Amino acid sequence: MGRSGGEPIPTGRATDGTGPASLRERFLQGEQVEAGVRTSILSSWQRCRSMGLSPDQNDLPFREDFDPDDRLVHAAVPVLDRLQVKFADSAMNISVADANGTVLLRRFGETSLARSLPAIQSVPGFVFAEQVAGTNGIGLALAERQLIRVYGAEHFAERSQGSACRALPVRDPLSGRIEGVLCFGYPRSAEDPALDAVIRRAGGAIERRLLEHSSARERALLRAYRDIAAEAAGPYRSVGVEELARELHPRDRAIIVEKAAELISRGQRAAVDVTLSDGRHVTLVSRPVTGASAVEGIAIEAVLPAPLLSEPFAAPQHVDVPAGLLAEPAAASGRLASGGVPGLVVPGHLSVAVLGQVAAAGERVTTADADGAAHGHLGSPLPARGLVMVGEPHVGTYALAARRRLELLSEASTRIGTTLDVRRTAEELAETAVPRLADFVTIDLPEPVLRGEESASARHDLRRTVVHGIRDDCPFHPVGKQIDYGPTTPQARCLTSREAVLEPDLRAAAGWLAQDPERTAQMLSHVHSLIAVPLVARGVVLGVAGFYRAQDPAPFGDDDRSLAQELATRAALSIDNARRYTRERSMVLALQRSLLPHGLPEQDAVEVAHRYLPAESDVGGDWYDVIPLSGTRVGLFVGDVIGHGMLSAATMGQLRTAARSFAELDFPPDEVLTHLDNLVGRLDREDPASDGSGAIGATCLYAVYDPTTQQCTMARAGHPPPALVHPDGDVSFPDLPAGPPLGLGGLPFEAAEIHLPEGSQLVLYTDGLIEDRHRDVDVVLDHLRDTLAHQPERSPEDTCQAILDTVALPHPYDDVALLVARTRALDPGRIATWELAADPALVGEVRGSAARQMVDWGLDEAVFATELMLSELVTNAIRHGAGPIRVRLLHGRTLICEVSDASNTAPHLRRAASTDEGGRGLFLVAQLSQSWGTRYIPEGKVIWAECGLDGP
């Protein structure tokens, strides 16, 4: 397993149907593919499919008009020549493409490859942009704008399945613009993680050579700096910054370049001490220089004390500098760039233009130490100094500010709106603005907006939603407090005008000072300038943001106001999207919860606890149910409607209602699933948005537990099997027949019967508990087993909570429905059974036996009604049924009378005519009982009647 950009990359062929090749085939067949494919690769596949590309396409566009004298070609040729030597006698294919994906140069480690490979892989001019070539290194590097590795089946095209490649964008060091792509292609078997470092060094070398094509003014400044350095070798070593640069964190490099750009914009001599993240210090010194034609600029040098160097370094006596700039170092370190600030020359890395080494074309420069000797001293305690940046102040000042604004807006587009949560989106706005625009940010939103609704008036019911800044000691109103802005405050004015309001000097802002004199007086010791910006999206005012400046002595200006307005506008759109999503999700969640059971029915078979955990992104169709059945039995349901949103929730409600109806008809579990399967198929056919191909799908598991026999009958339709915790703490997952998901039709369901001793726990759950894109199902099931094991005495409530705490994700991608049932057993002393032949003379004997048993149970008051019901039920069984006949009394929460026989003919309640001699027996039973019914068993049928009891 390799890694690229923090994502694991499979590096072998899959044998279990889950590897890259299998996933690619599933994707090409239109199946849903998420887990196992890197995000960048999956996104590229999806783009390829949306553009109608075919994986079998072999022809690519060829451009005869590409420029062989492109500046990128001149910069890359020497680097590719060295790479060709490095990879001699290997199957390495090295290419450079321009920013449009057209290959400009090719080199081969083994020269014979140029003759054996097809033209598309060996001749410059072919276009490998993603929109024409599919997922490949060059196209994906241009799309993702970063180092990319594509391996084997991750390629979209069939022709590349046996290959791997690495591709790195090459940027102009001055503008930051992508000029092209450097790509390494090689057989899949030659994968080597060390290639990452090689391609980065090579890309950095090409970028440094692009500096040769910088403007004449910039070259003049570099030559002027060279001349000064050559004439005034001071008491310091002329190398050493590069040694530190190899160890610098990218964040430290960015800080150094940022500080250097600031020094250039000031246009004067200065020195700044920069503290690195590890506590070390680098001093930046600005030096005025004047180039040819009186071009004036500033050179920034980094001065390092000798103890900071990782090892002693000897300066070479002579350095050859090609093409008027620098000798490229043998080992490049991390690149520092100005981010595209015009007028600023940034060497390819921190010490690429070291003091005394910048020379004109063909010149040879001699460096000197403090004593003027033409050699360096090992272990010298003298400091090292190196060039960081050269630029013109009047250009750099405006360019730097503009670049910062563009960078901040670019960062805002990726940082703001990453979630569909209103509060989090507001926090992202504040985090983006601090400290690059403001030192403190407050955001106030109306309470209805936080709930996902529209606010009638954004000026009323504002709540402090975000307070974010460089420190925590500023006396702003805390989060959650209701804010009431007066009509003259900047915030109220901006809400009225819907335009940003700038208060450069808060000490002179009368409206702001009058809002809360005591608090504003305290705040003046912390902040001095304010921009109040309304959050407006789609014509609706959603709130107000306040940007405060504290550390920078310069007040906010008009450019800052425009930037704050742009940031707020972008954030407001994301907040409104989050608000709308919150409203819709709240509606679906309310519907979902209204369709789930609001309480548990009273029954004696199991002790039950349940949980429902909605998905983080959207509500789905997970459900559960507990249904009391005849004979003290209980039915347990758990199901999952595929998909999310309102349709899934509504379909779930229909399924749950139907499932309860089928269960109460006392159908066995496999028949209940058959009826549900027919229902889902009918719903799909009746759906106008469906073509009848199974757009609506669902899974379900149904279990019926009988406490008189401690037997549980279960059947499932494409649903995960339950977990069974035995009384001794052992955990198992019963091997139930899987059954197809509901809605496929035509396939049978099978039921299995399992013995559940008293005190066993049956754990039913939906797939959202165990399946997600980042976890292996088997690992999660093992985790679930460990959570349930050795805790048989734990209550179902505690078991539910333990599962959610340890197994479920805190923010699940899919709904989770969980049902835990601990079994009970009906005391055999509360069960009475008699078997008799089909003889009417035995009816009185059964009535007497039943009466005596009820007296023993202390149910004297129910004897009369029970005798009447038994007489009718037994007489009907003798007259219309078939022997043997069995009578059973169950004394639980109620008294249940059951009479079974071998016939499948069920009686029906009817109103007898005045002339009828019979037909009134069931009417009498219905009047005397709370409920009655018929259920079928393999041996015949059971007629039952349930009577309420006033006492135990």
Side-chain angles (χ1 to χ4, degrees):
M1 183 73 75
R3 301 192 71 85
S4 178
E7 296 181 285
I9 301 178
T11 56
R13 295 194 65 85
T15 59
D16 59 354
T18 61
S22 174
L23 293 170
R24 175 178 174 274
E25 290 303 317
R26 287 172 52 194
F27 176 84
L28 294 176
Q29 293 172 8
E31 296 183 27
Q32 191 76 11
V33 175
E34 290 184 359
V37 182
R38 291 184 291 143
T39 302
S40 58
I41 298 298
L42 181 58
S43 298
S44 180
W45 287 356
Q46 292 170 341
R47 292 193 296 268
C48 293
R49 181 163 61 185
S50 67
M51 291 183 290
L53 297 182
S54 170
D56 299 319
Q57 179 180 349
N58 289 319
D59 297 327
L60 292 181
F62 180 80
R63 293 184 54 188
E64 296 181 348
D65 60 342
F66 72 93
D67 185 5
D69 293 322
D70 187 275
R71 62 192 292 258
L72 180 61
V73 172
H74 288 285
V77 164
V79 179
L80 263 63
D81 289 342
R82 292 198 299 270
L83 289 173
Q84 187 174 24
V85 173
K86 178 179 179 63
F87 293 110
D89 300 323
S90 73
M92 182 66 71
N93 180 346
I94 310 162
S95 59
V96 170
D98 63 16
N100 297 316
T102 303
V103 175
L104 305 178
L105 290 172
R106 284 197 179 276
R107 294 288 190 275
F108 301 91
E110 184 178 339
T111 55
S112 61
L113 284 176
R115 297 187 298 272
S116 61
L117 290 175
I120 195 174
Q121 299 180 21
S122 59
V123 178
F126 284 97
V127 181
F128 282 83
E130 186 184 69
Q131 58 265 31
V132 294
T135 307
N136 70 91
I138 293 174
L140 196 53
L142 290 173
E144 297 288 336
R145 306 177 68 84
Q146 62 180 335
L147 174 63
I148 287 295
R149 179 161 50 174
V150 184
Y151 181 87
E154 292 182 332
H155 289 88
F156 189 74
E158 289 288 347
R159 64 175 178 272
S160 304
Q161 299 301 291
S163 304
C165 63
R166 278 175 171 78
L168 177 72
V170 177
R171 299 175 185 270
D172 186 312
L174 299 180
S175 68
R177 183 181 62 249
I178 292 178
E179 294 290 327
V181 176
L182 172 64
C183 182
F184 290 175
Y186 45 91
R188 189 172 59 188
S189 59
E191 174 66 26
D192 185 357
L195 290 175
D196 277 350
V198 176
I199 197 170
R200 287 186 187 277
R201 288 197 297 268
I206 296 175
E207 291 177 345
R208 288 192 298 275
R209 291 184 58 84
L210 286 173
L211 279 174
E212 298 176 14
H213 301 274
S214 57
S215 70
R217 296 175 65 90
E218 293 159 350
R219 289 199 300 270
L221 290 178
L222 284 175
R223 291 194 185 96
Y225 176 82
R226 173 209 65 192
D227 295 337
I228 296 173
E231 295 173 1
Y236 48 77
R237 289 188 297 159
S238 59
V239 291
V241 180
E242 179 181 344
E243 301 303 308
L244 177 63
R246 292 195 183 99
E247 306 171 8
L248 288 182
H249 189 279
R251 182 171 59 252
D252 291 333
R253 299 172 189 163
I255 291 174
I256 290 177
V257 169
E258 183 78 8
K259 293 296 184 183
E262 290 180 3
L263 286 175
I264 290 177
S265 66
R266 295 176 185 176
Q268 58 187 4
R269 289 183 179 271
V272 175
D273 189 44
V274 179
T275 302
L276 305 181
S277 58
D278 59 3
R280 295 183 293 177
H281 297 270
V282 174
T283 301
L284 298 182
V285 179
S286 60
R287 174 198 294 268
V289 292
T290 301
S293 303
V295 177
E296 295 184 355
I298 298 292
I300 306 299
E301 299 171 333
V303 180
L304 297 104
L308 289 184
L309 300 179
S310 57
E311 59 184 15
F313 188 90
Q317 289 184 336
H318 300 286
V319 180
D320 290 324
V321 183
L325 282 180
L326 317 170
E328 293 181 359
S333 61
R335 182 177 62 83
L336 280 177
S338 68
V341 180
L344 302 182
V345 178
V346 185
H349 57 282
L350 186 56
S351 183
V352 76
V354 290
L355 181 60
Q357 290 188 358
V358 181
E363 289 183 333
R364 186 177 297 272
V365 178
T366 301
T367 60
D369 60 14
D371 300 323
H375 62 275
H377 295 285
L378 288 173
S380 170
L382 298 175
R385 174 175 292 188
L387 177 64
V388 175
M389 184 181 293
V390 174
E392 299 178 65
H394 67 281
V395 176
T397 300
Y398 298 107
L400 182 61
R403 184 61 185 176
R404 285 176 177 173
R405 288 194 294 270
L406 290 174
E407 288 176 347
L408 184 56
L409 290 174
S410 175
E411 181 180 337
S413 65
T414 60
R415 290 189 60 180
I416 301 175
T418 60
T419 69
L420 288 172
D421 180 84
V422 174
R423 294 180 185 273
R424 180 56 195 150
T425 304
E427 291 171 355
E428 290 169 343
L429 168 60
E431 292 168 358
T432 302
V434 175
R436 298 170 66 178
L437 172 62
D439 297 314
F440 297 96
V441 173
T442 63
I443 299 176
D444 306 315
L445 302 177
E447 187 66 29
V449 171
L450 296 172
R451 297 194 302 264
E453 305 168 4
E454 287 191 9
S455 176
S457 174
R459 289 185 54 179
H460 301 288
D461 199 24
L462 285 172
R463 299 280 176 175
R464 179 57 48 87
T465 306
V466 175
V467 177
H468 183 68
I470 56 176
R471 301 189 308 272
D472 297 330
D473 59 350
C474 199
F476 291 107
H477 289 295
V479 172
K481 181 177 177 58
Q482 184 170 352
I483 307 296
D484 184 16
Y485 290 113
T488 60
T489 59
Q491 289 85 351
R493 284 153 46 206
C494 80
L495 290 172
T496 301
S497 65
R498 297 193 175 189
E499 297 290 340
V501 173
L502 170 62
E503 291 288 359
D505 186 359
L506 286 176
R507 292 171 297 183
W512 183 77
L513 292 171
Q515 170 71 15
D516 187 347
E518 182 178 352
R519 181 175 294 274
T520 53
Q522 297 176 3
M523 292 186 63
L524 282 176
S525 62
H526 294 79
V527 297
H528 61 79
S529 191
L530 163 67
I531 301 174
V533 189
L535 300 172
V536 183
R538 300 181 177 95
V540 178
V541 179
L542 302 173
V544 61
F547 299 85
Y548 295 86
R549 180 164 286 179
Q551 285 190 331
D552 191 338
F556 284 124
D558 290 331
D559 288 341
D560 298 314
R561 177 173 55 185
S562 299
L563 178 57
Q565 180 82 64
E566 180 67 22
L567 284 176
T569 299
R570 297 190 181 195
L573 187 60
S574 297
I575 290 174
D576 191 49
N577 290 337
R579 179 191 65 81
R580 290 167 179 257
Y581 168 78
T582 300
R583 179 186 59 188
E584 294 178 4
R585 186 174 187 273
S586 299
M587 293 171 57
V588 176
L589 185 57
L591 173 63
Q592 169 86 336
R593 293 192 183 279
S594 69
L595 296 174
L596 290 174
H598 296 289
L600 297 178
E602 295 182 352
Q603 43 80 36
D604 295 323
V606 292
E607 179 186 356
V608 181
H610 56 86
R611 294 289 191 278
Y612 170 71
L613 192 63
E616 175 75 7
S617 58
D618 204 353
V619 179
D622 291 19
W623 59 282
Y624 58 88
D625 210 345
V626 178
I627 306 171
L629 302 176
S630 63
T632 69
R633 298 171 306 136
V634 66
L636 304 173
F637 273 107
V638 66
D640 182 5
V641 176
I642 297 173
H644 296 85
M646 189 74 72
L647 176 61
S648 295
T651 304
M652 178 274 291
Q654 292 177 290
L655 276 185
R656 177 177 171 251
T657 301
R660 174 175 283 273
S661 300
F662 296 142
E664 289 177 344
L665 290 174
D666 269 325
F667 290 138
D670 53 335
E671 291 188 26
V672 169
L673 295 184
T674 299
H675 288 296
L676 291 176
D677 181 56
N678 294 333
L679 173 64
V680 172
R682 185 167 63 254
L683 291 175
D684 185 62
R685 291 190 297 272
E686 295 173 354
D687 184 4
S690 170
D691 58 0
S693 59
I696 300 176
T699 66
C700 183
L701 188 149
Y702 180 39
V704 176
Y705 172 70
D706 188 342
T708 65
T709 61
Q710 301 176 39
Q711 293 294 115
C712 183
T713 305
M714 291 182 278
R716 63 187 179 117
H719 201 83
L724 175 58
V725 185
H726 297 271
D728 61 0
D730 184 46
V731 179
S732 64
F733 295 90
D735 186 16
L736 305 180
L742 300 176
L744 296 184
L747 298 175
F749 298 96
E750 298 181 56
E753 193 171 86
I754 300 175
H755 180 70
L756 297 184
E758 183 176 11
S760 300
Q761 285 196 4
L762 193 63
V763 181
L764 312 180
Y765 51 88
T766 55
D767 58 4
L769 177 69
I770 62 173
E771 295 181 6
D772 69 76
R773 66 191 71 176
H774 301 303
R775 301 189 299 176
D776 183 83
V777 173
D778 293 333
V779 174
V780 179
L781 287 176
D782 289 340
H783 194 186
L784 177 61
R785 186 194 304 271
D786 294 340
T787 301
L788 297 174
H790 309 299
Q791 296 289 339
E793 72 284 353
R794 188 162 52 190
S795 69
E797 282 288 342
D798 293 339
T799 299
C800 277
Q801 195 58 48
I803 292 174
L804 293 186
D805 291 342
T806 60
V807 181
L809 294 173
H811 304 288
Y813 299 100
D814 194 8
D815 287 27
V816 176
L818 180 63
L819 187 67
V820 178
R822 181 161 62 186
T823 61
R824 298 167 176 159
L826 188 61
D827 185 354
R830 289 177 171 252
I831 304 174
T833 307
W834 300 273
E835 293 191 4
L836 63 153
D839 183 357
L842 299 177
V843 174
E845 181 179 336
V846 171
R847 289 175 57 183
S849 299
R852 288 189 294 273
Q853 181 62 68
M854 292 179 65
V855 171
D856 293 342
W857 285 340
L859 305 178
D860 305 64
E861 296 182 0
V863 170
F864 178 73
T866 303
E867 284 185 310
L868 287 178
M869 287 190 297
L870 279 178
S871 294
E872 295 299 332
L873 295 177
V874 174
T875 300
N876 277 341
I878 294 174
R879 286 184 178 180
H880 307 290
I885 298 173
R886 186 174 183 230
V887 177
R888 188 170 70 159
L889 292 182
L890 304 175
H891 179 202
R893 186 179 303 274
T894 60
L895 179 66
I896 300 175
C897 305
E898 295 183 346
V899 177
S900 61
D901 64 77
S903 170
N904 289 324
T905 303
H908 298 282
L909 181 65
R910 67 183 179 88
R911 183 175 296 276
S914 58
T915 58
D916 289 344
E917 295 184 0
R920 297 174 177 83
L922 285 181
F923 182 79
L924 180 62
V925 171
Q927 294 299 310
L928 294 174
S929 64
Q930 287 184 344
S931 59
W932 73 279
T934 304
R935 72 172 182 270
Y936 293 94
I937 57 177
E939 299 82 14
K941 70 175 181 298
V942 176
I943 310 296
W944 57 270
E946 184 174 350
C947 301
L949 301 176
D950 295 334

